[in-house]
Amino acid sequence: MNLKEEIYRYALSHKKIDTHCHHMGHVFFEEIGLKDIFGSSYIAWCHKPFQTEPQRRDLFENICDRSYFLWLERALQKIYGIAEPLNADTWDKFDRAVREADRKDRNFSRLRTLCGYEHIVQDCYWNYGDNLGDGQLFTPAFRINIFLNGFDREFVDQDRCCITKYFPEPVRDIEEYVARLRAIVQEKHKAGCVALKCAIAYERGLDFYAADAKDAEIALRTDKASLTKKNREDFQSYIFYRLCDIAAEEDMPFQIHTGLGQVEKTRALCLTKAVKAHPATKFVLFHLSFPYIDDVISLAHNFDNVYPDICWVPLLSFHKAKDTFNSLLDTVNADKLCWGCDTWTVEESYGAVLAMAYTLSEALSQRIGEGFMTLERAKRVCDKILYENAKRIYRL
């Protein structure tokens, strides 16, 4: 067995803490088939329909080289023992295998046995802080997006969340708003949430600033039709900064989606002011700000309270992930790095595991070959990234 294969097998069989997941269980599907997996996976981001056989032929012709597809295909082949490629001709064969397995697994057992997860930090964006009824496996993050739009009681986000679920009565002023928000986070923390999660990069930029309380309060006191862009930004920046304070008070890591999203102003360097202003807050920067990866490397190098999480990147581009991982090790302490699957189904989650094991084996075997690392050290790095760091950072 060569070095690459040994590291790959070590990583694949290692117990893991998955730091970021949106596992759906059967919340949205009575029975899961291949269409459901594709529809809730990153394949759906490839801008190609796949409902009919002609559409699927066009889909496979166009996405067969994409990293999203390659790892999902490999996962499906390995899970279901199908050697043939996944394409329009084999669609029904894979679909039958998926449906049969889903009927037998209604309690997340394959996330434990197949993927090797001991804990999953779950982000239920459709029901903030939910653990899907399995508190032993799922240790939830509490998403905070809706609170950044709390000046508008009628606002409903793309995931159908509304501020009135948490603030059924209007607040009088910004001080009361923050006090209620703090109490909500404290309650969720006691109930088992281990982190805060911000995915606002799909709605606006990450260029938050130290807004004044009086300026932020204008948004609460003004009819929404009369609100200016500055009124909204003052409120959102002020509340984001207060959430940073609350995360530090509760010792909860603050997970933040960086990079791809709305793209404009979502690169990680936009968070520099917030990071500097909150040295006691643990900022976990998801997705390494892809494609602006050097942003996260720079911030993690300069600030002790910044933690890079490589979640999603191996699925997005496994070749980029390999090169990035070496750059991270060159620059950032190994005890800062974590990884999560960032997926919705067992099959895609296993694909993410395969992609991460590949990334580790490629990057670490290269370092060994160049004389910068021993095999023993490579395995210690795997231990840290796949399990130990997350256990410490999230206090699991």
Side-chain angles (χ1 to χ4, degrees), residues 237-289:
S237 290
Y238 185 79
I239 297 304
F240 183 83
Y241 268 48
R242 299 295 72 77
L243 283 162
C244 292
D245 294 335
I246 294 168
E249 292 164 11
E250 294 295 306
D251 193 19
M252 299 174 75
F254 200 172
Q255 301 175 329
I256 302 176
H257 177 110
T258 63
L260 291 178
Q262 72 157 20
V263 180
E264 184 180 2
K265 296 182 179 180
T266 60
R267 60 187 302 168
L269 281 182
C270 292
L271 290 166
T272 305
K273 290 180 181 178
V275 169
K276 285 183 176 179
H278 300 91
T281 304
K282 296 185 181 79
F283 291 92
V284 178
L285 303 188
F286 278 169
H287 321 313
L288 303 181
S289 193

Side-chain angles (χ1 to χ4, degrees), residues 168-206:
E169 300 297 328
V171 296
R172 293 166 296 181
D173 53 39
I174 199 71
E175 185 177 338
E176 181 184 351
Y177 188 93
V178 173
R180 287 200 200 178
L181 180 54
R182 177 176 280 105
I184 290 167
V185 173
Q186 289 172 342
E187 179 185 348
K188 292 296 183 179
H189 192 192
K190 288 178 183 176
C193 290
V194 296
L196 300 184
K197 166 68 190 301
C198 175
I200 203 69
Y202 286 104
E203 302 171 29
R204 55 149 289 162
L206 298 175

Side-chain angles (χ1 to χ4, degrees), residues 226-244:
S226 303
L227 287 174
T228 66
K229 183 172 181 286
K230 184 178 185 303
N231 294 152
R232 293 185 177 88
E233 290 178 347
D234 283 342
F235 180 89
Q236 291 178 331
S237 290
Y238 185 79
I239 297 304
F240 183 83
Y241 268 48
R242 299 295 72 77
L243 283 162
C244 292

Side-chain angles (χ1 to χ4, degrees), residues 34 60 73 82 84-96:
L34 198 53
F60 290 122
E73 177 189 44
I82 301 174
E84 300 160 87
L86 173 56
N87 54 40
D89 295 324
T90 60
W91 177 276
D92 290 341
K93 184 174 185 177
F94 279 92
D95 183 57
R96 284 193 298 271

Side-chain angles (χ1 to χ4, degrees), residues 12 16 79 109-117 346-347 350 353:
L12 203 57
K16 302 170 186 70
I79 294 170
S109 63
R110 290 186 297 164
L111 289 171
R112 292 179 167 95
T113 59
L114 183 65
C115 299
Y117 299 143
V346 171
E347 289 82 358
Y350 186 59
V353 169

